């Protein structure tokens, strides 16, 4: 992906995708980039974020004993694969382990230690990669383990995983912000706009995580037997939505920028490698830190679903859990739509650079509502050959968009436009009796009732296979 279309695509998304306000908010406090945002305003916002981080003075009980979130994700992925390989969840928890959960245990007897050398088949699932709820000193001191059922303990472990994994996530965000984002050495290798593209609003995401973890740990502090977490998630969902959707939508540009800079900017490459080699990164790359927000928002949804399965149907917390799951699902869906729209616009920007309208009336290809539906090389019956005994065909390339059809000739990697028409208003297809007319088997009639010249035109199109013909006739007959 070249740098030029990437920049244009980003601008198109901001203007055409109705995210101008998001971009303005998105850009502030990071780089003093182009547009109406001036440098003093950006500096004030950046200072405000820094003050917000410092004013919280939040000290998590678990952040220093948990792993980086990348390691947590790796562990959960291994657990998922392990469950898929070896059967159901109930089969992984042995009766002996379930029985031990219902009696007080010393640290020497805890499942973490007693199963360390067990076979994978009998090893219990570790809810968090650093500790279990039942291993907390306050839990042991409470004597709750002897009165709770295995299901109730499992529920507490899963709710505690939401807390522990958020601490792990915040720890990794701290590396992303304090080690990479704040690196003056790295910043000097980039323009202000590039620095913004690379990090987006990750420092704001970190502040949001701090606040979320603060509330989660406060809930645990109220009572060692966690009452519920769905209400806490709900309180933060609106803020998550405002941060995560623009951030995840921007991720494809982060990837493109890093790849481009690694190939063409030796100073950037050297500086990045130097930063990544620091022990604080634990051999993790910048890319692995930048994708964390999307991994986290999807993981929260999975954890909430697990909590709901373990919660009694008549519990007061069920309603909040369901609302929280729906809210997180909406965020994930919006992220997916944003990325898809970004890719569609990027595709249009790249294609527009390859189209040569020549003497044909040009049409602006990149609009916020347009997207590519179908494209490919076909054969068109040469009009001159209809007056000869021998038919001949010429190569033609069709680009079908949701509102436009472009007919062109492909030469090398460029397209010389021959004609175009609005779709579906002025485009229709009809089957033809190929054998009777002596045409190739997989032929059809493409009719443009009104083209860029203002006159109708028709052409016989041939494909190489039946499936290709059916796909094109279906696409050209549909309303997108």
């Amino acid at each position: 992906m070249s740098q030029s279309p990437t920049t244009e695509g980003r601008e198109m998304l901001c203007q055409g995708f109705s995210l101008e306000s998001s971009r303005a908010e998105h850009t502030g406090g990071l780089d003093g980039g182009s547009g109406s945002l001036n440098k003093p305003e950006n500096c004030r916002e950046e200072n405000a974020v820094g003050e917000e981080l410092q004013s919280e003075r939040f000290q998590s009980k678990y952040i220093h004993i948990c792993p980086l979130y990348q390691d947590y994700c790796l562990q959960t992925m291994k657990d998922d694969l392990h469950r898929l390989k070896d059967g159901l969840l109930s089969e992984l928890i042995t009766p002996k382990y379930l029985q031990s959960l219902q009696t007080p245990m010393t640290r020497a007897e805890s499942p973490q230690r007693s199963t360390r050398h067990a076979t994978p088949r009998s090893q219990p699932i570790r809810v968090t990669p650093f500790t279990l709820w039942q291993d907390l000193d306050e839990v042991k001191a409470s004597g709750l383990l002897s009165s709770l059922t295995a299901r109730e303990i499992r529920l507490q472990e899963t709710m505690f995983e939401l807390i522990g994994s958020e601490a792990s996530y915040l720890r990794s965000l701290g590396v992303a912000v304090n080690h990479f984002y704040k690196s003056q050495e790295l910043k000097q290798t980039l323009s202000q706009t590039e620095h913004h593209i690379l990090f987006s609003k990750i420092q704001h995401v970190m502040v949001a995580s701090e606040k979320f973890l603060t509330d989660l740990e406060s809930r645990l502090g109220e009572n060692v037997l966690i009452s519920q977490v769905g209400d806490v998630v709900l309180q933060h969902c609106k803020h998550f939505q405002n941060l995560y959707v623009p951030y995840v939508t921007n991720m494809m540009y982060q990837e493109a920028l890093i790849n481009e800079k690694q190939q063409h900017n030796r100073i950037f490459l050297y500086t990045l490698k130097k930063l990544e080699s620091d022990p604080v990164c634990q051999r993790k790359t910048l890319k692995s830190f930048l994708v964390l927000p999307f991994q986290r928002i999807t993981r929260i949804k999975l954890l909430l679903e697990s909590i709901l399965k373990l919660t009694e149907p008549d519990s007061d917390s069920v309603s909040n859990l369901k609302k929280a799951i729906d809210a997180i699902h909406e965020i994930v869906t919006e992220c997916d739509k944003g990325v898809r729209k970004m890719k569609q616009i990027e595709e249009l920007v790249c294609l527009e650079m390859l189209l040569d309208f020549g003497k044909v009336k040009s049409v602006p290809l990149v609009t916020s509502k347009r997207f590519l539906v179908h494209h490919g090389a076909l054969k068109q019956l040469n009009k001159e050959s209809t007056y000869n005994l021998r038919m001949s065909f010429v190569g033609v390339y069709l680009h079908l968009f949701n509102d436009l059809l472009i007919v062109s000739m492909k030469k090398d990697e460029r397209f010389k436009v021959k004609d175009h028409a609005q779709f579906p208003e002025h485009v229709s297809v009809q089957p033809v009796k190929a054998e009777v007319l002596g045409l190739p088997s997989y032929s059809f009639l493409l009719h443009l009732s009104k083209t860029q010249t203002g006159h109708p035109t028709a052409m016989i199109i041939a494909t190489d296979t039946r499936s290709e013909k059916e796909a094109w006739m279906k696409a050209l007959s549909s309303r997108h």
Side-chain angles (χ1 to χ4, degrees):
M1 188 180 299
S2 65
Q3 187 176 5
S4 179
T6 297
T7 304
E8 293 181 44
R10 186 179 67 259
E11 294 301 323
M12 187 61 236
L13 179 72
C14 296
Q15 296 170 12
F17 192 35
S18 300
L19 281 181
E20 185 61 46
S21 60
S22 296
R23 183 177 182 272
E25 177 190 0
H26 207 63
T27 309
L30 287 176
D31 50 52
S34 60
S36 60
L37 296 173
N38 56 50
K39 196 165 185 177
E41 290 175 340
N42 291 344
C43 290
R44 283 197 297 269
E45 184 175 342
E46 185 169 333
N47 291 336
V49 173
E51 290 172 3
E52 186 176 5
L53 283 168
Q54 294 173 3
S55 64
E56 289 292 325
R57 301 197 181 280
F58 168 64
Q59 295 295 327
S60 169
K61 292 177 62 177
Y62 311 106
I63 194 169
H64 298 298
I65 60 174
C66 66
L68 290 176
Y69 197 68
Q70 293 94 321
D71 293 327
Y72 165 79
C73 289
L74 182 61
Q75 180 62 45
T76 56
M77 183 176 66
K78 288 180 178 178
D79 288 343
D80 290 340
L81 292 174
H82 182 62
R83 285 194 289 272
L84 289 172
K85 178 181 178 181
D86 293 332
L88 299 174
L89 175 64
S90 57
E91 296 176 352
L92 289 176
I93 305 177
T94 63
K96 182 178 179 181
Y97 176 55
L98 288 175
Q99 184 178 5
S100 68
L101 285 179
Q102 300 179 57
T103 57
M105 295 179 293
T106 63
R107 181 163 296 275
E109 295 171 331
S110 89
Q112 271 186 277
R113 296 175 180 272
S114 62
T115 60
R116 182 170 294 175
H117 301 293
T119 61
R121 179 72 180 178
S122 61
Q123 185 175 4
I125 298 172
R126 291 185 56 188
V127 182
T128 61
F130 57 96
T131 191
L132 295 168
W133 172 81
Q134 62 191 288
D135 284 335
L136 297 176
D137 293 335
E138 51 267 45
V139 173
K140 293 179 179 181
S142 69
L144 284 169
L145 292 173
S146 60
S147 60
L148 297 176
T149 65
R151 181 189 178 95
E152 290 170 335
I153 293 178
R154 178 65 184 170
L155 173 60
Q156 291 297 313
E157 296 289 12
T158 310
M159 287 193 288
F160 182 66
E161 183 180 0
L162 181 65
I163 300 173
S165 58
E166 188 67 29
S168 175
Y169 174 56
L170 181 56
R171 180 178 177 183
S172 285
L173 286 177
V175 175
V177 172
N178 298 318
H179 186 63
F180 289 103
Y181 169 72
K182 291 185 178 180
S183 169
Q184 291 300 315
E185 210 176 348
L186 184 64
K187 195 170 186 178
Q188 289 173 4
T189 68
L190 302 166
S191 68
Q192 292 179 332
T193 301
E194 288 170 339
H195 191 264
H196 164 63
I197 295 171
L198 187 59
F199 292 104
S200 192
K201 298 182 72 172
I202 197 160
Q203 81 279 30
H204 294 264
V205 173
M206 179 178 170
V207 173
S209 177
E210 272 195 357
K211 293 179 178 178
F212 183 43
L213 183 57
T214 301
D215 289 346
L216 287 173
E217 291 197 24
S218 295
R219 177 58 53 85
L220 179 61
E222 293 170 3
N223 193 326
V224 71
L225 188 66
I226 308 170
S227 57
Q228 63 169 319
V229 292
D231 59 330
V232 179
V233 176
L234 267 178
Q235 292 170 10
H236 291 265
C237 276
K238 186 63 178 177
H239 194 39
F240 286 165
Q241 189 170 31
N242 293 336
L243 287 172
Y244 281 79
V245 175
Y247 184 91
V248 174
T249 302
N250 181 64
M251 278 174 53
M252 66 176 285
Y253 290 111
Q254 291 175 333
E255 174 82 14
L257 180 63
I258 292 177
N259 292 341
E260 192 270 334
K261 289 297 178 182
Q262 285 179 327
Q263 293 176 10
H264 304 292
N265 189 328
R266 291 185 179 181
I267 300 177
F268 172 85
L269 180 60
Y270 171 79
T271 305
L272 181 61
K273 291 296 183 183
K274 181 181 177 182
L275 288 170
E276 290 176 341
S277 65
D278 192 285
V280 73
C281 296
Q282 298 182 24
R283 299 182 178 180
K284 306 297 188 298
T285 65
L286 174 59
K287 286 183 180 181
S288 74
F289 287 98
L290 294 178
V291 300
L292 293 176
F294 182 69
Q295 293 175 338
R296 183 55 185 163
I297 203 68
T298 53
R299 183 63 186 169
I300 289 176
K301 180 175 180 288
L302 293 174
L303 286 171
L304 292 176
E305 289 171 343
S306 297
I307 292 169
L308 181 61
K309 290 177 183 178
L310 291 166
T311 303
E312 294 297 336
D314 58 349
S315 173
D316 294 338
S317 62
V318 168
S319 177
N320 280 333
L321 272 173
K322 290 182 177 180
K323 290 178 182 177
I325 290 171
D326 290 342
I328 295 295
H329 177 73
E330 183 180 344
I331 296 173
V332 174
T333 301
E334 282 197 36
C335 288
D336 184 55
K337 288 180 180 178
V339 171
R340 188 163 58 248
K341 186 66 178 179
M342 182 81 86
K343 289 181 178 179
Q344 289 171 352
I345 291 178
E346 187 77 10
E347 191 174 35
L348 293 180
V349 172
C350 293
L351 179 58
E352 187 171 56
M353 298 175 67
L354 301 176
L355 291 176
D356 180 11
F357 284 89
K359 296 181 179 179
V360 176
K361 183 180 179 181
S362 64
V363 57
L365 188 62
V366 183
T367 68
S368 61
K369 295 182 180 180
R370 180 173 293 148
F371 57 89
L372 187 63
V373 175
H374 200 51
H375 67 101
L378 302 99
K379 292 175 289 187
Q380 178 188 358
L381 179 65
N382 193 337
K383 293 181 180 180
E384 297 178 359
S385 70
T386 56
Y387 301 102
N388 302 325
L389 294 176
R390 187 176 181 181
M391 292 184 179
S392 65
F393 287 82
V394 294
V396 66
Y397 204 99
L398 299 185
H399 285 97
L400 177 64
F401 304 90
N402 59 311
D403 62 347
L404 178 71
L405 174 66
I406 295 181
V407 183
S408 59
M409 304 281 288
K410 186 176 182 180
K411 185 176 182 180
D412 297 325
E413 294 301 320
R414 297 188 62 81
F415 302 93
K416 186 175 182 180
V417 179
K418 294 175 58 182
D419 214 342
H420 56 79
Q422 291 183 8
F423 177 84
E425 293 87 345
H426 303 305
V427 178
S428 62
V429 288
Q430 291 179 335
V432 295
K433 295 181 180 180
E435 294 182 3
V436 176
L437 298 174
L439 296 169
S441 300
Y442 310 120
S443 301
F444 62 90
L445 175 66
L446 174 61
H447 184 253
L448 310 180
S449 60
K450 183 180 180 181
T451 67
Q452 50 86 28
T453 62
H455 302 294
T457 184
M459 57 190 80
I460 297 293
I461 300 294
T463 64
D464 293 327
T465 64
R466 180 187 296 275
S467 60
E468 189 179 2
K469 172 190 171 183
E470 291 175 350
W472 269 110
M473 290 193 68
K474 181 179 179 181
L476 291 164
S477 303
S478 302
R479 290 181 176 271
H480 300 280

